[in-house]
Amino acid sequence: MNIGRYIFAQVVDFLPRYQFDKAVAKYRGDWHVKDLTCYSQLLHLLFGQITGCDSLRDICLCLKAHEESLYHLGFRKTVEHTNLSRANEKRDYRIYEELGMYLISIVRPLYADTSVPEITIDNVLYALDSTTISTSIKLAAWALGKYSKGAVKMHTLLALRGSIPANIHITDGRWHDSNELDLLTPEPQAFYMMDRAYVDFDALFRFHLAGAYWISRPKSNMKYEIISHRSLREADKKAGITGDFTIRLTKANTMSLYPEPIRAVCYYDEEAEDEIVFITNNIEISALEVANLYRHRWDIEVFFKWIKQNIVVKTM
């Protein structure tokens, strides 16, 4: 009795095989390879992720237990976990990076018009942050973290419409967050929400000149003077906005890096009984919108939590 195709085989059909093969040829991923091609390696790892396998050994044992179904799943043959581990170590990561970026380029337009709660503007919205993932310094000698421990940082630029990563950059644990701004190309009219670790006025002024908008929080040692006040709407006051100012940086070095005035919005958080200050280069949106936009920066923390909970293949 024909019960139809396996779900895994149906999922694999969505992979753009032509684009993947182009990347394999570009980086010579299958050079002198007999059994475990790049595509077969990809299928092994996808199978392990979807079925919840805990290790590479688990993936290979599970596939061997279903040898009669391998062809219908899309596999030519399975391999030993040592071969899979060796392929993970030696294959060029850019093959799979290009596949991921191509898939993102397909998916992001599908969510371009998705609404974000409490946000009325139609601009592209990004949240920028990083998360630290502990690792073994013996297995990844390059991944130096704090206190001589192994760690990698996953720097992520998350598009808030759809919660889809627009860019992911993996570094060692000592890479400072603000350095990530130097690697990004500002998108005009887009909003970038980031915490105070990214306050690098040289980089932020580059974003300003490119026509991009940024929202962050000031560092405790930031020196400034108030140039003017903005009148608050009644709705903003009821929502907790206590001040809306135009300020100018007064420290000699920061003033030379960011010579233009910036905007400061003060918000009183009743739950925490604390006043929060936001700084931005956008002067057009309302003060409440500034606070709401920064609040959505926390959406990236939900993304990090989802990633850490769902990446299951962690050992050999």
Side-chain angles (χ1 to χ4, degrees), residues 110-140:
L110 302 178
Y111 292 88
D113 298 326
T114 302
S115 61
V116 179
E118 301 178 326
I119 302 301
T120 60
I121 59 176
D122 297 326
N123 303 56
V124 177
L125 308 176
Y126 292 115
L128 177 62
D129 206 350
S130 68
T131 186
T132 301
I133 303 171
S134 299
T135 186
S136 170
I137 196 68
K138 293 181 180 178
L139 296 179

Side-chain angles (χ1 to χ4, degrees), residues 180-250:
E180 193 65 21
L181 293 175
D182 297 329
L183 304 180
L184 295 177
T185 301
E187 185 176 332
Q189 305 301 314
F191 278 83
Y192 294 81
M193 279 66 73
M194 60 197 84
D195 63 21
R196 55 169 60 108
Y198 291 90
V199 176
D200 176 356
F201 286 112
D202 187 22
L204 292 178
F205 192 60
R206 181 170 62 87
F207 275 61
H208 177 71
L209 294 177
Y213 303 120
W214 53 267
I215 301 176
S216 186
R217 295 188 61 191
K219 293 183 178 179
S220 58
N221 62 347
M222 189 183 84
K223 302 297 182 183
Y224 62 91
E225 62 179 2
I226 296 176
I227 301 175
S228 62
H229 300 252
R230 289 184 178 82
S231 58
L232 297 178
R233 303 183 307 174
E234 198 61 35
D236 289 357
K237 292 180 181 179
K238 291 181 180 180
I241 302 297
T242 58
D244 189 359
F245 314 104
T246 300
I247 64 174
R248 179 187 293 117
L249 301 175
T250 56

Side-chain angles (χ1 to χ4, degrees), residues 9 27-28 35 37 43 83 87 95 111 116 133-134 159 166 171 181 185 188 211 215-216 256 274 307:
Y27 298 108
R28 304 178 72 183
D35 297 327
T37 62
L43 292 183
N83 294 338
I95 297 172
Y111 292 88
V116 179
I133 303 171
S134 299
T171 67
L181 293 175
T185 301
I215 301 176
S216 186
S256 63
D274 187 25
I307 285 289

Side-chain angles (χ1 to χ4, degrees), residues 59-121:
I59 294 173
C60 297
L61 288 177
C62 188
L63 287 173
K64 282 187 177 181
H66 298 84
E67 240 174 341
E68 295 179 356
S69 304
L70 286 182
Y71 176 78
H72 300 287
L73 288 171
F75 294 86
R76 291 180 58 188
K77 60 184 297 187
T78 186
V79 295
E80 296 294 332
H81 71 277
T82 52
N83 294 338
L84 185 56
S85 175
R86 195 176 299 113
N88 288 345
E89 181 182 356
K90 294 185 177 181
R91 294 273 166 84
D92 197 322
Y93 74 92
R94 291 174 293 181
I95 297 172
Y96 306 96
E97 181 184 56
E98 288 196 7
L99 173 64
M101 296 307 296
Y102 181 78
L103 291 173
I104 288 173
S105 69
I106 295 175
V107 175
R108 276 195 62 192
L110 302 178
Y111 292 88
D113 298 326
T114 302
S115 61
V116 179
E118 301 178 326
I119 302 301
T120 60
I121 59 176

